[in-house]
């Protein structure tokens, strides 16, 4: 077979796999209001991950001390999701680790390193696919400016679902972007349901549908179909390039509330939003599906900080905000509010370098406020 024929054969296989994925999208939703035992998986990750996860684990045990003692909450340490182990086994998420993860209800996960220039898929992308975590939810709040944003990023499709499986021919490389009706409809529904249930009256759809007419065009059209079920909510469209500008425009940015957008755009713009809030170290992230959910910091493993000997100065606020999201997800809202109040009151400042406190110094003070 020629290289062209082999590429076409590979593309045909990818199409078949995606059609199969669509057929398995619907799962039974976990009801944490009636679940007698909730199992929380704790994953350290790489780089600064073990440092900030140590802080989050201490806080989690303090907040849910009674329930952990009674056995209604189980904290399970999951080993093996390190860059060293993944490279040694040649798997983005080793099979045994994935089995351990699937025995949990929710995960609190430190950042993991993705090798550059190789073919190994990101551990996060693998977990989002394997656990069908279709909604990446990232809140950003700046009360003094009246900013209360929440981003609903589609988490299992777009450029990421086949990001390591493109086609390369001599002088040509092609990657693929995937948008499905079912995948788009469920992320749109999640965004509009959040708006309806939390007193929000505006949802902004963000795409590049003027250029990506098939994929982003489909995403926009389906979001508007879903919007018809929520006539009380204002729905508007924006292209990703102008929306990145809108977020740094003080004259209008506090008018936005809920955003729904495809995978890649959501990844980029939520880092921008976090930086406006105070830095990527200040924002948490939820990856939610019907059966499983994973909560993490939005930033990476910060290998430069480790190399420069600054790992102890990593800011744990992001993973702690992710813990707040986890607690609300498992219906422990009182504990989440307690943590949020303590973080707002904590006088210790972590700057990411030696001008500020260490992660452990921050947590030591925070624990006294819980």
């Amino acid at each position: 077979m020629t290289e062209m024929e082999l590429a076409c054969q590979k593309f045909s296989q990818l199409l078949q796999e995606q059609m199969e994925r669509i057929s398995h999208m619907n799962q039974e939703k976990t009801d944490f209001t009636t679940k007698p035992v909730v199992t929380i998986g704790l994953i350290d990750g790489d780089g600064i991950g073990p440092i900030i996860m140590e802080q989050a684990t201490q806080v989690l045990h303090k907040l849910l001390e009674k329930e952990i003692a009674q056995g209604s909450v189980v904290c399970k340490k999951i080993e093996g999701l390190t860059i060293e182990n993944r490279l040694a086994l040649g798997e983005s998420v080793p099979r045994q680790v994935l089995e351990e993860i699937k025995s949990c209800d929710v995960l609190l996960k430190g950042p993991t390193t993705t090798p550059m220039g190789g073919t190994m898929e990101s551990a996060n992308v693998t977990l989002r696919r394997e656990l069908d975590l279709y909604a990446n939810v990232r809140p950003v709040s700046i009360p003094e400016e009246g900013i209360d944003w929440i981003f609903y990023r589609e988490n299992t499709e777009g450029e990421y679902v086949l990001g390591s499986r493109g086609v390369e021919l001599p002088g040509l490389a092609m990657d693929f972007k995937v948008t499905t009706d079912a995948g788009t409809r469920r992320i749109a529904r999640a965004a509009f349901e959040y708006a309806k249930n939390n007193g929000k009256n505006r949802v902004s759809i963000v795409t590049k549908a003027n250029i990506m007419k098939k994929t982003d065009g489909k995403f926009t059209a389906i979001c508007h179909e879903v919007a018809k079920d929520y006539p009380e909510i204002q729905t508007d469209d924006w292209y990703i390039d102008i929306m990145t500008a809108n977020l740094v425009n003080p004259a209008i940015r506090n008018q936005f509330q809920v955003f729904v957008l495809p995978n890649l755009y959501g990844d980029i713009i939520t880092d921008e939003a976090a930086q406006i809030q105070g830095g990527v170290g200040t924002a948490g992230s939820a990856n939610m599906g019907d059966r499983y959910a994973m909560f993490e910091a939005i930033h990476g493993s910060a290998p430069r900080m480790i190399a420069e000997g600054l790992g102890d100065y990593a800011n744990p606020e992001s993973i702690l905000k992710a813990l707040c999201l986890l607690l609300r997800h498992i219906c422990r809202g009182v504990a989440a509010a307690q943590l949020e109040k303590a973080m707002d009151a904590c006088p210790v400042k972590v700057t990411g370098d030696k001008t500020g406190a260490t992660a452990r110094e921050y947590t030591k003070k925070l624990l006294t406020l819980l």
Side-chain angles (χ1 to χ4, degrees):
M1 296 178 72
T2 67
E3 288 182 321
M4 181 75 76
E5 288 171 331
L6 287 170
C8 290
Q9 186 181 69
K10 179 178 179 180
F11 184 56
S12 176
Q13 180 186 350
L14 293 177
L15 288 174
Q16 291 174 3
E17 289 177 6
Q18 290 305 301
M19 294 303 294
E20 178 70 13
R21 182 177 69 87
I22 293 171
S23 69
H24 291 94
M25 276 188 177
N26 294 324
Q27 297 186 46
E28 185 177 349
K29 199 171 185 68
T30 301
D31 183 357
F32 287 101
T33 62
T34 59
K35 195 169 178 59
V37 178
V38 177
T39 302
I40 303 173
L42 303 172
I43 301 175
D44 280 350
D46 302 309
I48 64 171
I51 297 167
I52 61 173
M53 277 297 296
E54 177 189 346
Q55 317 316 311
T57 301
Q58 288 185 62
V59 172
L60 172 63
H61 278 83
K62 176 73 178 289
L63 287 168
L64 300 185
E65 183 177 6
K66 290 182 180 179
E67 290 191 75
I68 292 171
Q70 294 166 355
S72 57
V73 172
V74 175
C75 295
K76 183 176 184 179
K77 187 73 174 286
I78 297 176
E79 308 283 357
L81 198 66
T82 62
I83 185 62
E84 295 82 9
N85 193 43
R86 289 181 284 136
L87 286 174
L89 296 174
E91 298 175 281
S92 58
V93 178
R95 192 172 309 132
Q96 286 188 323
V97 177
L98 184 59
E99 289 177 5
E100 286 287 296
I101 286 170
K102 287 186 173 181
S103 70
C104 302
D105 298 299
V106 294
L107 302 174
L108 186 66
K109 174 185 162 294
T112 46
T113 299
T114 302
M116 295 181 66
T119 57
M120 180 175 288
E121 186 175 59
S122 156
N124 273 4
V125 171
T126 301
L127 287 171
R128 289 164 184 165
R129 182 180 63 248
E130 291 292 332
L131 305 178
D132 199 23
L133 306 178
Y134 60 84
N136 184 263
V137 183
R138 295 181 174 182
V140 168
S141 176
I142 310 173
E144 60 271 23
E145 291 193 35
I147 289 175
D148 185 18
W149 297 329
I150 190 157
F151 297 83
Y152 274 77
R153 163 193 170 194
E154 201 295 314
N155 212 26
T156 57
E157 298 188 353
E159 294 83 356
Y160 287 31
V161 64
L162 299 175
S164 61
R165 301 182 65 191
V167 171
E168 191 166 5
L169 300 175
L172 170 68
M174 293 183 67
D175 284 319
F176 304 110
K177 179 171 181 170
V178 178
T179 299
T180 67
D181 290 18
T184 303
R185 189 164 281 110
R186 64 185 183 178
I187 189 64
R189 183 74 61 189
F192 279 95
E193 280 293 304
Y194 175 87
K196 183 184 77 171
N197 295 330
N198 290 274
K200 306 299 180 183
N201 58 18
R202 182 176 184 180
V203 173
S204 300
I205 306 163
V206 184
T207 68
K208 193 64 177 170
N210 56 332
I211 302 299
M212 309 299 292
K213 296 183 184 298
K214 297 297 185 186
T215 50
D216 286 11
K218 178 184 284 291
F219 189 96
T220 300
I222 291 174
C223 284
H224 278 287
E225 287 178 17
V226 172
K228 292 176 183 177
D229 294 335
Y230 303 86
E232 73 283 5
I233 296 173
Q234 175 189 344
T235 304
D236 46 54
D237 281 291
W238 298 87
Y239 296 136
I240 182 62
D241 42 0
I242 192 60
M243 183 55 80
T244 59
N246 288 341
L247 295 195
V248 294
N249 182 349
I252 64 170
R253 64 187 184 185
N254 64 359
Q255 298 170 22
F256 296 104
Q257 296 179 346
V258 182
F259 304 79
V260 59
L261 60 177
N263 206 336
L264 176 61
Y265 312 141
D267 191 4
I268 295 168
I269 205 171
T270 52
D271 276 14
E272 180 196 22
Q275 191 63 35
I276 294 167
Q277 178 178 251
V280 293
T282 68
S285 176
N287 302 267
M288 296 188 290
D290 293 330
R291 169 65 181 86
Y292 299 102
M294 176 173 71
F295 301 84
E296 58 186 348
I298 75 165
H299 56 71
S301 57
R304 287 191 187 92
M305 289 189 71
I306 297 297
E308 294 170 7
L310 295 173
D312 287 340
Y313 294 87
N315 193 339
E317 288 185 63
S318 184
I319 195 70
L320 291 171
K321 287 190 175 180
L323 176 56
C324 290
L325 295 170
L326 184 155
L327 291 168
R328 292 194 187 283
H329 183 73
I330 63 171
C331 301
R332 270 66 178 181
V334 172
Q338 187 180 352
L339 177 53
E340 288 166 344
K341 182 179 179 180
M343 290 179 69
D344 287 342
C346 188
V348 178
K349 300 302 177 186
V350 182
T351 61
D353 57 36
K354 293 181 181 180
T355 64
T358 66
R360 292 179 180 90
E361 288 169 341
Y362 176 88
T363 305
K364 184 178 180 180
K365 181 60 179 177
L366 185 69
L367 289 170
T368 67
L369 301 172
L370 292 174

